[in-house]
DNA sequence: TGTTGTCGGAGCCACAACGG
DNA sequence: CCGTTGTGGCTCCGACAACA
């Protein structure tokens, strides 16, 4: 078994014309964040470092590095012009992942999510990514007694755990390295990997799957059609109330089931 | 039978914090 | 900058009990 601690740096859309109100460079919905750097370290079962990887990726969706991203990561458009394309680095990465059992370790869930999204965008083989993962940010936040609802940043966690650093954060390889150091410091047996579900996405699942509201107009129309006449306001309110009461099941009665149960 | 109050669960929303 | 995540507070609503 191996632990793969990885970190990504992304680029995103940027409108260099500055005329945002007139022209807004569309962020690609399929892939709003394009991976431009993968950094990873591999640990064995004893949490000893056995391999590492650090590669830049040539972007194709957003070829120009967003100044904000450049400022944050130090990665420039020039640097990426010489980098290899995604499919090539993904090949390398999946080779790097090969193990009888690889568990991904990430700092926050964003990286794992964007990795899946980028691989999907490039129509590459998603099944090569292990499904087991540990979100170390969550464990570290708990370990360091962060107040409920807050999660600790990587540099704060490194400082609080007295891990020697030279402030080289927001570099994929260094972030992966620091995350691995944190993992070694806070590791305990109760840190069980979870299975990543590619479909778990708040905005598309939870937030849009509200309880359906009642199409009252459609309901009344149906009654008018069935009775071939207009429905009065009083009837409307009765129909609506009955519909709601039906949902509560408060007048539903149990019918005894005499069938023998089969074990 | 109808009204009122309480309780708990679910959904919604704004916000903070973090990610690049 | 833009996007995501988790939380607390709020409201709504069903379930239920108590009461007239």
């Amino acid at each position: 078994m191996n632990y793969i601690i990885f970190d990504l740096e992304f680029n995103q859309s940027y409108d260099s014309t500055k005329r945002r109100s007139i022209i807004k460079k569309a962020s690609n919905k399929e892939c709003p964040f394009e991976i431009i750097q993968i950094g990873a370290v591999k640990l064995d079962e004893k949490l000893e470092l056995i391999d590492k990887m650090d590669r830049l990726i040539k972007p194709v969706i957003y070829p120009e590095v967003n100044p904000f991203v450049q400022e944050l990561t130090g990665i420039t458009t020039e640097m990426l012009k010489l980098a290899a394309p995604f499919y090539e680095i993904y090949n390398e990465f999946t080779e790097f992942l090969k193990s009888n059992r690889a568990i991904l370790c990430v700092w926050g869930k964003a990286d794992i999510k964007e990795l899946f999204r980028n691989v999907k965008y490039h129509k590459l083989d998603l099944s090569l990514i292990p499904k087991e993962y540990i979100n170390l940010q969550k464990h570290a936040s708990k370990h360091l007694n962060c107040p409920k609802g807050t999660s600790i940043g990587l540099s704060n966690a490194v400082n609080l755990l007295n891990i020697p650093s030279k402030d080289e954060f927001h570099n994929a390889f260094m972030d992966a390295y620091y995350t691995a150091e944190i993992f070694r410091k806070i590791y305990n047996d109760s840190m069980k990997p979870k299975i990543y579900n590619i479909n778990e996405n708040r905005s598309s699942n939870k937030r849009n799957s509200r309880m359906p509201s009642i199409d009252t107009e459609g309901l009344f129309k149906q009654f008018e059609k069935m009775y071939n006449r207009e429905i009065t306001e009083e009837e409307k309110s009765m129909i609506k109330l009955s519909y709601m009461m039906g949902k509560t099941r408060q007048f539903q009665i149990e019918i005894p089931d005499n069938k023998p149960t089969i074990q």
Side-chain angles (χ1 to χ4, degrees):
Chain A
M1 179 177 69
N2 293 130
Y3 294 102
I4 312 289
I5 296 104
F6 78 95
D7 190 79
L8 308 172
E9 303 298 317
F10 312 116
N11 188 25
Q12 59 189 280
S13 70
Y14 167 63
D15 179 11
S16 57
T17 64
K18 296 278 179 197
R19 288 180 294 162
R20 297 182 47 135
S21 55
I22 305 162
I23 307 161
K24 187 170 165 117
K25 265 213 180 141
S27 166
N28 187 318
K29 283 260 177 210
E30 271 178 78
C31 197
F33 299 104
E34 184 173 22
I35 299 171
I36 53 173
Q37 189 186 23
I38 294 184
V41 299
K42 189 190 262 186
L43 307 185
D44 64 13
E45 285 169 55
K46 293 172 190 163
L47 308 186
E48 296 293 333
L49 190 139
I50 51 172
D51 205 355
K52 57 188 180 178
M53 177 175 168
D54 181 12
R55 303 285 269 133
L56 288 175
I57 296 167
K58 189 175 186 172
V60 290
I61 312 169
Y62 315 113
E64 192 180 348
V65 176
N66 182 318
F68 192 84
V69 174
Q70 183 174 321
E71 175 72 24
L72 196 73
T73 64
I75 299 170
T76 63
T77 306
E78 280 305 307
M79 286 162 75
L80 297 180
K81 280 182 181 163
L82 304 168
F86 185 81
Y87 73 89
E88 213 174 296
I89 305 298
Y90 183 62
N91 261 347
E92 265 184 55
F93 186 56
T94 52
E95 280 301 313
F96 183 84
L97 292 172
K98 277 185 183 164
S99 159
N100 58 347
R101 184 185 173 196
I103 296 169
L104 298 178
C105 299
V106 283
W107 191 258
K109 275 169 84 175
D111 286 318
I112 200 161
K113 182 181 177 169
E114 295 308 331
L115 175 64
F116 272 91
R117 191 137 70 172
N118 275 254
V119 173
K120 208 172 163 186
Y121 178 85
H122 287 278
K123 298 186 169 64
L124 299 170
D125 190 357
L126 279 167
S127 70
L128 300 174
I129 307 170
K131 301 291 178 292
E132 287 185 286
Y133 79 99
I134 298 173
N135 177 2
L136 290 167
Q137 188 181 34
K138 212 170 176 178
H139 289 283
S141 300
K142 205 173 162 187
H143 183 94
L144 294 165
N145 300 316
C146 286
K148 259 195 172 180
T150 61
S151 43
I152 193 161
L154 185 65
S155 60
N156 280 338
V158 164
N159 289 334
L160 286 169
L161 291 166
N162 298 315
I163 293 165
S165 75
K166 292 175 196 163
D167 282 332
E168 317 102 314
F169 297 100
H170 295 301
N171 167 294
F173 176 71
M174 287 313 293
D175 283 359
Y177 168 79
Y178 289 132
T179 306
E181 289 300 298
I182 290 169
F183 184 42
R184 289 150 66 114
K185 283 247 180 183
I186 68 171
Y187 178 82
N188 67 67
D189 291 339
S190 67
M191 286 167 69
K192 297 278 178 247
K194 289 186 173 183
I195 304 296
Y196 183 75
N197 172 10
I198 194 165
N199 294 317
E200 66 181 57
N201 180 334
R202 251 165 78 121
S203 50
S204 65
N205 290 350
K206 272 194 187 169
R207 294 220 159 148
N208 293 345
S209 65
R210 293 169 185 174
M211 282 291 286
S213 55
I214 304 168
D215 171 17
T216 46
E217 283 312 306
L219 183 64
F220 301 148
K221 269 189 190 157
Q222 179 64 23
F223 269 81
E224 289 182 336
K225 199 172 148 192
M226 286 163 75
Y227 288 87
N228 195 27
R229 66 174 175 83
E230 261 190 47
I231 303 291
T232 66
E233 285 308 307
E234 190 189 17
E235 284 169 334
K236 279 184 182 176
S237 71
M238 284 168 75
I239 290 165
K240 193 175 173 184
L241 185 62
S242 305
Y243 191 90
M244 305 269 284
M245 283 171 85
K247 288 207 297 185
T248 72
R249 300 185 199 173
Q250 55 181 305
F251 297 106
Q252 207 159 292
I253 47 172
E254 287 289 322
I255 297 166
D257 185 6
N258 294 326
K259 276 185 232 164
T261 52
I262 302 157
Q263 290 290 339

